[in-house]
Amino acid sequence: MASIRDVARRAGVAPSTVSYVLNGDRSTTEETRQRVREAVEALDYHPRAGARMLRSGRTQVVALALPRGEGVGGPGGGRHAVDGRFAIETADAAHRLGYDLLLATSGDKASGLRRVAVSGLADAAVIMAVDLEDPRIEVVRELDFPAALIGRPADEAALPWIDLDWEQAAVLAVRELAVAGHREVVYLGSAEEEVRARRSAALYGIAGARRGGRETGAAVRVAHTADGPAEAAGLLRVLLAGPAGPPSALVVQHPTAWSHVLAAAGALGHRVPEDLAVVVIGSLPGDSSCARLPRIELPVPAMGSTAVELAVEDADARRPARGRGRAREQAAPGGSAPRQVLLAPELLGGGALRPPPA
């Protein structure tokens, strides 16, 4: 394995000059920088991470705070699928920016993130499974630790964040169903444990479903998604045999539970979409198994990459300036507002919506 001395010999400079070029600590000529870069590439030189961290004060690691446990991820395989897609997208985004990804999965959300922040294992964090009043927000603010959220908190100015506009997504789904003639709609929102935890996406989705009903005059009943096939069949049996008559349409806010809903509907003798219209909110991009359904996809690539960029920008804003005798001042609390990104929903396959059966 090549050393910094090997690079220096090949480039014809001192080892300290190689260090200056790699770390940007002092100005050097473009000719010198080019010779060093060529030597680094030719020798496939990689500075030791520990030494690099000691010199720069940076780990070049972003932590993905993705807690697991009761009321956090849920038992369903679909939830694991979503988590995996986000882990891949954030890892790829971090790599493009020259960072590695550390997966932090403690079910104790606040203390788990605190351990990461005080340990020095990461320069910043991307926080998932965001509650409206998420305790991790106070942790990172107390510790002055760079972070960004994948999820919309109640205090929208607390930290940088990105999220799908779940409320508007639900309004859009109900509105399109109403335009197609559906007056009895069931909104299958997130699982009950996510509502109890005050998960941001769950509560915004329910609020949107109810607003959509008010705006269109459609009767919208809110229920909670069931993860497993047996649970979905039991739930659908109750919903379709309701005293007010069966709904003509379902809106399902879940990345994969819609498949259980479709299977249950078929087992109960209801054809989709002939007898029962189904709109999915939060399906995974590229999921061909629901391509025939009207759906609002969860923009995982945009959410994952933007969250990493926001977290790294926050870390860079606090980074000591290179080539100066003193560190750059950190942004004072209450200074410039953090960035927030709310993604507008798009209904795909809306042309497949049919009017209710006569």
Side-chain angles (χ1 to χ4, degrees):
M1 182 181 295
S3 69
I4 194 169
R5 294 184 180 278
D6 297 326
V7 174
R9 278 194 295 269
R10 186 179 184 97
V13 298
S16 58
T17 301
V18 175
S19 179
Y20 298 152
V21 171
L22 295 178
N23 296 300
D25 291 326
R26 296 185 186 177
S27 60
T28 54
T29 66
E30 178 57 33
E31 179 188 358
T32 298
R33 289 195 295 271
Q34 183 62 29
R35 291 207 312 269
V36 170
R37 286 194 290 263
E38 290 174 354
V40 166
E41 183 175 354
L43 297 173
D44 194 24
Y45 172 67
H46 299 281
R48 290 180 59 190
R52 184 173 66 241
M53 183 180 68
L54 288 174
R55 288 193 301 269
S56 67
R58 302 293 292 272
T59 64
Q60 295 303 118
V61 171
V62 172
L64 177 62
L66 179 56
R68 310 297 305 165
E70 184 177 356
V72 176
R79 183 61 56 194
H80 287 289
V82 175
D83 293 346
R85 286 290 294 272
F86 270 109
I88 291 170
E89 294 296 340
T90 52
D92 288 348
H95 179 73
R96 288 193 295 269
L97 295 174
Y99 285 75
D100 291 316
L101 191 74
L102 169 69
L103 191 59
T105 60
S106 172
D108 190 341
K109 298 166 72 171
S111 63
L113 183 57
R114 181 180 293 274
R115 285 195 299 273
V116 171
V118 301
S119 69
L121 291 173
D123 295 329
V126 171
I127 300 173
M128 285 187 59
V130 173
D131 304 333
L132 276 179
E133 299 85 15
D134 201 297
R136 293 170 293 181
I137 294 174
E138 288 307 311
V139 169
V140 298
R141 295 180 75 178
E142 171 198 338
L143 299 174
D144 201 22
F145 186 65
L149 308 172
I150 296 179
R152 180 183 180 185
D155 182 1
E156 296 185 6
L159 288 175
W161 57 265
I162 182 169
D163 203 2
L164 173 67
D165 190 339
W166 293 95
E167 181 173 353
Q168 191 58 37
V171 170
L172 176 60
V174 172
R175 182 185 299 149
E176 291 300 312
L177 286 168
V179 168
H182 296 274
R183 310 309 299 169
E184 300 288 336
V185 178
V186 168
Y187 189 85
L188 288 174
S190 300
E192 287 188 70
E193 61 264 23
E194 295 195 348
V195 175
R196 287 195 299 269
R198 293 185 57 76
R199 192 65 33 78
S200 170
L203 296 186
Y204 279 117
I206 291 173
R210 288 173 173 156
R211 180 158 69 90
R214 292 193 301 270
E215 292 179 357
T216 63
V220 178
R221 175 184 173 189
V222 174
H224 299 291
T225 309
D227 277 322
E231 293 84 354
L235 173 64
L236 205 59
R237 186 176 292 108
V238 171
L239 293 174
L240 295 178
S248 63
L250 299 177
V251 179
V252 185
Q253 183 187 338
H254 193 285
T256 55
W258 56 266
S259 60
H260 303 322
V261 171
L262 291 186
L268 294 171
H270 294 268
R271 299 169 300 164
V272 176
E274 292 83 1
D275 304 321
L276 186 67
V278 176
V279 179
V280 180
I281 297 179
S283 61
L284 291 175
D287 186 350
S288 59
S289 59
C290 69
R292 68 185 182 92
L293 293 176
R295 65 201 181 279
I296 297 171
E297 292 185 347
L298 187 62
V300 178
M303 294 171 73
S305 61
T306 302
V308 171
E309 291 167 7
L310 290 172
V312 169
E313 285 176 9
D314 195 11
D316 285 343
R318 306 160 191 259
R319 187 176 191 174
R322 295 293 187 192
R324 299 181 186 176
R326 60 183 179 84
R328 183 171 60 189
E329 292 182 359
Q330 293 183 358
S336 58
R339 292 176 55 196
Q340 297 88 32
V341 183
L342 190 60
L343 299 174
E346 179 184 2
L347 182 66
L348 304 176
L353 284 174
R354 298 188 183 187

